[in-house]
Amino acid sequence: MNPFDDENGTFTVVAGSHGRLALWPGFAPLPAGWTVLAGPASRAECLAEVERRCQPAAARPGPVA
């Protein structure tokens, strides 16, 4: 099984130097130049975080008045 597809695995959300986001398996060393933004968490939680971070600013929920 590909470790990136493991529904039961632990992941982090990482960003490269150009701002590209990715899921990274929790057991694997982080590649040089990448920064952890979120996690460790489940694959589903990390995918939701990537989707949240990729939404246009106008579509993001704001504070409730």
Side-chain angles (χ1 to χ4, degrees):
M1 173 190 286
N2 182 333
F4 291 91
D5 296 330
D6 184 0
E7 293 293 332
N8 298 313
T10 300
F11 292 85
T12 56
V13 177
V14 297
S17 60
H18 296 290
R20 182 165 293 181
L21 300 180
L23 291 186
W24 197 254
F27 68 84
L30 193 63
W34 290 78
T35 303
V36 174
L37 300 177
S42 71
R43 184 175 188 275
E45 290 171 311
C46 287
L47 284 173
E49 179 65 16
V50 168
E51 289 177 15
R52 185 189 71 77
R53 289 177 180 261
C54 290
Q55 285 181 348
R60 291 186 188 146
V64 177

